[in-house]
Amino acid sequence: MVLAQLGGSISRAIQQMSNATIIDEKVLNECLNEITRALLQADVQFKLVREMQTNIKKIVNLDDLAAGHNKRRIIQQAIFNELCKMLDPGKPSFTPKKGKPSVIMFVGLQGSGKTTTCTKYAYYHQKKGWKPALVCADTFRAGAFDQLKQNATKAKIPFYGSYTESDPVRIAVEGVETFKKENCDLIIVDTSGRHKQEAALFEEMRQVSEATKPDLVIFVMDSSIGQAAFDQAQAFKQSVSVGAVIVTKMDGHAKGGGALSAVAATKSPVIFIGTGEHMDEFEVFDVKPFVSRLLG
Ligand code: GDP
């Protein structure tokens, strides 16, 4: 189910409810059940959906709604607020400051779009006058350095890596030191992502984090991983202090649910979304417009 379909299903459920002559508990329950189904199909975690349902029922106390009040509007608003709440962990992520060196470490599974997203993030800031730099601390995947180098060269962003050094911690530290000396204000460290949640990957990630002391760790997640989103995000959060999330591949058959799960699991906000393979297919994530789109 793509985002637009989810929005369609939710607004249809609300529409159906408002077509009823009397909005009583039964009608409200039917509407909430429809919405629950739509959210589950969009990969929102079951626990989150149940919580949302309970909260809405608490807010929308039908007996308290005086006759003449627009019940549809009130219910719609409650659903909107609940979805916004699910996407808002309550505290903003670390915000780098232009001109002051910040180290940003990217983590995620292989294939999630991590390396592409590192360049997109660098390019986005470069266009706004920052001095970003890319460090390839992925010594595990053959070709990782070449890929980063190619992307960085295309975007005219300085990069650091090695074809011979096999210790990711060493490369990360050297890269960060080099770019601090060059007065770069956004030093982006790309780490290795393996195809599954191997213990060695988490240990390596922890060591790179300990050695480079990043100001922010960004967890990159492929939006198409479905219901696995919550557990995956939580596993990363338990190893390194994830402070923000970027959800990739929101174009095509993207589902919105993974974003909600990632926020819940990491207690960190989504800051950007990836909407294509190109460098500029990258958008700042904004909760309210995203939820408005969900609700159609
Ligand atoms: P990594 O293994 O996590 O570093 O993943 P890569 O950066 O190599 O990306 C894996 C694939 O996903 C590549 O083919 C990218 O072009 C593609 N990709 C990354 N981000 C997006 C996105 O937002 N949308 C789409 N459609 N493809 C993406």
Side-chain angles (χ1 to χ4, degrees), residues 108-117 120 138 141 147 151 190-191 193 220 222 247-252 273-278 281:
L109 289 188
Q110 185 167 316
S112 60
K114 191 164 40 59
T115 304
T116 310
T117 306
K120 284 179 173 180
D138 180 357
R141 181 165 64 95
Q147 187 190 349
N151 288 348
D190 188 12
T191 59
V220 178
D222 182 337
V247 184
T248 63
K249 308 184 194 180
M250 289 291 278
D251 46 312
I273 53 172
T275 54
E277 297 198 40
H278 294 113
E281 287 172 319

Side-chain angles (χ1 to χ4, degrees), residues 56-217:
I56 291 175
K57 285 178 83 171
K58 254 190 246 159
I59 298 162
V60 185
N61 186 336
L62 289 170
D63 296 337
D64 288 352
L65 291 184
H69 266 144
N70 189 336
K71 292 181 181 175
R72 181 186 164 199
R73 276 260 309 275
I74 292 169
I75 294 167
Q76 211 165 6
Q77 190 63 43
I79 294 168
F80 182 85
N81 290 345
E82 278 305 305
L83 285 169
C84 288
K85 233 170 70 188
M86 283 160 82
L87 281 161
D88 178 7
K91 58 174 171 42
S93 70
F94 166 83
T95 316
K97 290 195 175 54
K98 207 187 273 181
K100 191 174 171 283
S102 295
V103 177
I104 317 287
M105 177 175 159
F106 277 66
V107 299
L109 289 188
Q110 185 167 316
S112 60
K114 191 164 40 59
T115 304
T116 310
T117 306
C118 283
T119 323
K120 284 179 173 180
Y121 183 82
Y123 183 66
Y124 172 87
H125 285 91
Q126 190 190 46
K127 278 192 303 188
K128 292 186 177 298
W130 294 65
K131 252 189 96 182
L134 290 159
V135 179
C136 176
D138 180 357
T139 52
F140 181 76
R141 181 165 64 95
F145 181 38
D146 273 332
Q147 187 190 349
L148 182 123
K149 203 166 138 180
Q150 215 174 44
N151 288 348
T153 309
K154 213 185 321 171
K156 298 191 176 62
I157 294 164
F159 58 90
Y160 187 91
S162 166
Y163 288 110
T164 49
E165 176 58 63
S166 60
D167 179 5
V169 176
R170 194 163 171 176
I171 299 183
V173 170
E174 283 174 5
V176 168
E177 286 310 313
T178 305
F179 291 129
K180 273 187 178 163
K181 277 188 206 128
E182 291 179 15
N183 294 325
C184 292
D185 50 11
L186 205 59
I187 306 169
I188 298 159
V189 182
D190 188 12
T191 59
S192 26
R194 291 177 196 171
H195 44 280
K196 56 185 172 66
Q197 296 165 20
E198 293 163 87
L201 159 69
F202 288 113
E203 180 50 26
E204 178 183 306
M205 218 169 59
R206 216 183 44 71
Q207 286 176 12
V208 172
S209 169
E210 233 172 67
T212 56
K213 305 212 169 11
D215 297 284
L216 175 66
V217 178

